[in-house]
Amino acid sequence: MAISRRMLLAAGAAAGLMPRTGLAATTVLRGEPVMAEILPELLTPMLGFNGTTPGPEIRVRQGEALDVRFENRTGEPSAIHWHGIRLENAMDGVPGLTQDAVAHGDSFEYSFVAPDAGTFWYHSHHRSWEQVAKGLYGPLIVEETNPPIVDHDITVMIDDWRVEQDGSLAGGFGNMHDFAHAGRLGNQGEALASRSEVRLGDRVRLRMINAATARTFPMEIAGIEGRIVALDGMPLRDPEEIADIVLASAQRVDVIADVTGDVMFNFPTADGPLELSRIKAVVENAFPLGGEIGPLPPPVLARPSDVSDRELSLRMQGGAMGGRHAGEDIWSFNGVSGMQQEPWATFRSGETVRIALVNETAFAHNIHLHGHHFYEISADGSLGALRDTTLINAGESRAIVCVFDNPGNWLLHCHTLGHQASGMKTWVEVKPPPV
Ligand code: C2O
Ligand code: CU
């Protein structure tokens, strides 16, 4: 992967900076073709929102309603999914499950309350392996009612593009060879920060979002000292040392830290670290905030019962070099490929369910559940981090525990979007609470 620092062509946008909106309860997102610069001085036709990719950063305060009018001018059907938000099912943006795809020229009103503060993102959920790979996504930040005090709150969108030498995006979005392997990996890595300069001694919050359709990014951050405070938008009970940051596609990591030098986002490779982005440290902050970096306010989620009401297992099967596999498509869950008429499982509201995610394939999968967060179960059996997307490496397994308390039909799929497109997806039904 070569370095790329992309310039957005929005009027006035500085090199490598993302467009931002203020706190806004009402927003229009116009999906449309845009031009961006991935390779220096070459224009790349892409898809974006309101003239840019990533689309504008949407910020809303926890507990406040967000109203977004999605105007589809992309030239093809589309829909927007609000990744990680525990919202009302009808607003989840999944064509075929929660709504019809929005035709070109039409629009759709999304309206929901974000119950959790944290770092989320929005993206197309129609032919996502192609539309997301073309740039149809953006950051969605839900602010705490009492946010931790920092000098700068910085969003960093991470991606890798597959570009040709002339700057155009490589075609073959539905390439079956990619789908059967690790998905559409790019050849241009990128970490696009919403700010290009900070001061030495500044306290910063870094919200990293991996928007790639396939690539898992290990990320080494130089020039800061601090803590990891949240994963997938959900606060950690005990903030962790900044080490071994890994973002599978769709995952987020929040860091709060003090600046000790240029802040560099490095992707480790066999030939040494590759700098994906750098936020320059200029001058010195004469009045550093300092002080301990404590946990963010805890999320308000239903506690799982000590003994699970149900135990299920979800076996990932198929793919290149895969073992036994009965599904009709490249990938399957428990031998069943793609969406079926019936849900994989039906839960009564509030059920605590333990699911063993068993990866029987030769590739990693990052499994995403819509409308809920779940606990990763640690090796010692305790409740680990709350996530909405969990990475399970080839041949490994991980148990998760989820309280299914959000009624509706929810997708459960691999967020390596080519895997999802070729069979690795299903859905669950959560019954409404009894009246
Ligand atoms: Cu990020 Cu089913 O989506
Ligand atoms: Cu997968």
Side-chain angles (χ1 to χ4, degrees):
M1 258 193 321
I3 300 170
S4 121
R5 305 187 100 197
R6 206 144 56 91
M7 279 196 291
L8 296 167
L9 298 178
L17 285 184
M18 278 194 295
R20 310 191 83 173
T21 56
L23 271 180
T26 311
T27 307
V28 172
L29 281 181
R30 194 178 54 254
E32 60 192 358
V34 298
M35 289 289 197
E37 184 175 314
I38 295 175
L39 297 180
E41 311 199 352
L42 290 172
L43 289 184
T44 303
M46 302 179 70
L47 290 179
F49 292 100
N50 303 2
T52 63
T53 172
E57 178 171 299
I58 297 179
R59 280 192 171 244
V60 69
R61 190 144 294 157
Q62 180 175 18
E64 278 180 9
L66 177 63
D67 295 302
V68 178
R69 177 183 176 82
F70 169 47
E71 297 177 356
N72 185 4
R73 304 290 181 271
T74 60
E76 45 196 289
S78 193
I80 304 182
H81 169 57
W82 314 93
H83 184 115
I85 304 281
R86 299 186 300 131
L87 43 53
E88 192 193 322
N89 192 240
M91 295 293 120
D92 200 38
V94 181
L97 192 64
T98 66
Q99 67 171 94
D100 292 330
V102 182
H104 169 77
D106 281 359
S107 60
F108 190 92
E109 309 278 344
Y110 291 97
S111 175
F112 56 86
V113 171
D116 306 304
T119 301
F120 302 95
W121 63 303
Y122 58 92
H123 63 80
S124 157
H125 217 298
H126 180 76
R127 296 177 60 84
S128 59
W129 67 93
E130 178 168 340
Q131 293 189 350
V132 174
K134 287 180 172 172
L136 207 48
Y137 63 72
L140 170 57
I141 308 301
V142 183
E143 294 190 345
E144 292 84 7
T145 32
N146 269 315
I149 296 171
V150 295
D151 294 296
H152 299 293
D153 185 336
I154 302 172
T155 306
V156 184
M157 295 296 284
I158 300 163
D159 204 339
D160 68 334
W161 306 103
R162 190 182 288 185
V163 283
E164 307 281 10
Q165 281 186 350
D166 66 357
S168 61
L169 290 179
F173 292 93
N175 182 306
M176 286 297 166
H177 184 270
D178 287 340
F179 284 7
H181 291 77
R184 180 182 166 99
L185 298 172
N187 53 12
Q188 285 289 320
E190 158 185 285
L192 205 57
S194 59
R195 211 185 154 79
S196 57
E197 286 184 353
V198 290
R199 295 168 301 180
L200 282 170
D202 274 352
R203 179 157 288 185
V204 292
R205 178 171 185 165
L206 303 173
R207 304 171 179 269
M208 288 169 276
I209 304 171
N210 181 357
T213 58
R215 187 181 295 276
T216 291
F217 281 87
M219 192 61 73
E220 291 167 358
I221 313 175
I224 54 169
E225 245 167 55
R227 293 269 186 279
I228 299 174
V229 294
L231 298 174
D232 291 356
M234 287 292 173
L236 295 176
R237 270 161 299 181
D238 300 304
E240 290 170 6
E241 295 282 321
I242 302 177
D244 304 322
I245 294 181
V246 174
L247 296 110
S249 63
Q251 289 186 325
R252 288 89 65 211
V253 175
D254 278 39
V255 158
I256 295 182
D258 296 323
V259 175
T260 58
D262 282 2
V263 183
M264 292 181 280
F265 296 85
N266 292 324
F267 178 80
T269 73
D271 310 324
L274 176 66
E275 187 184 314
L276 294 179
S277 182
R278 179 188 293 237
I279 303 171
K280 282 222 170 65
V282 296
V283 304
E284 191 134 356
N285 179 346
F287 304 100
L289 288 164
E292 215 197 310
I293 295 165
L296 296 170
V300 182
L301 269 94
R303 282 288 303 170
S305 53
D306 291 339
V307 180
S308 308
D309 299 308
R310 281 171 80 178
E311 302 209 0
L312 298 171
S313 61
L314 192 71
R315 298 179 176 277
M316 295 152 244
Q317 297 171 334
M321 300 167 281
R324 76 205 145 76
H325 169 64
E328 280 170 18
D329 215 329
I330 296 174
W331 301 96
S332 70
F333 285 134
N334 297 344
V336 179
S337 288
M339 296 295 274
Q340 306 290 312
Q341 220 34 54
E342 296 295 313
W344 170 59
T346 299
F347 304 117
R348 68 183 156 69
S349 174
E351 223 175 334
T352 294
V353 182
R354 182 187 176 97
I355 305 176
L357 301 172
V358 184
N359 186 347
E360 298 180 350
T361 78
F363 293 89
H365 302 287
N366 40 321
I367 302 299
H368 171 48
L369 172 65
H370 283 218
H372 297 77
H373 272 69
F374 51 78
Y375 291 92
E376 290 183 336
I377 302 303
S378 315
D380 65 0
S382 62
L383 296 181
L386 270 168
R387 305 213 71 136
D388 58 50
T389 306
T390 185
L391 175 65
I392 303 115
N393 286 321
E396 298 187 352
S397 50
R398 166 171 302 117
I400 59 170
V401 163
C402 184
V403 180
F404 285 92
D405 59 357
N406 196 358
N409 298 334
W410 302 105
L411 216 57
L412 173 62
H413 65 89
C414 182
H415 219 289
T416 296
L417 297 175
H419 294 176
Q420 174 199 7
S422 53
M424 200 175 274
K425 65 170 165 219
T426 188
W427 61 288
V428 300
E429 179 189 18
V430 181
K431 294 278 191 206
V435 273

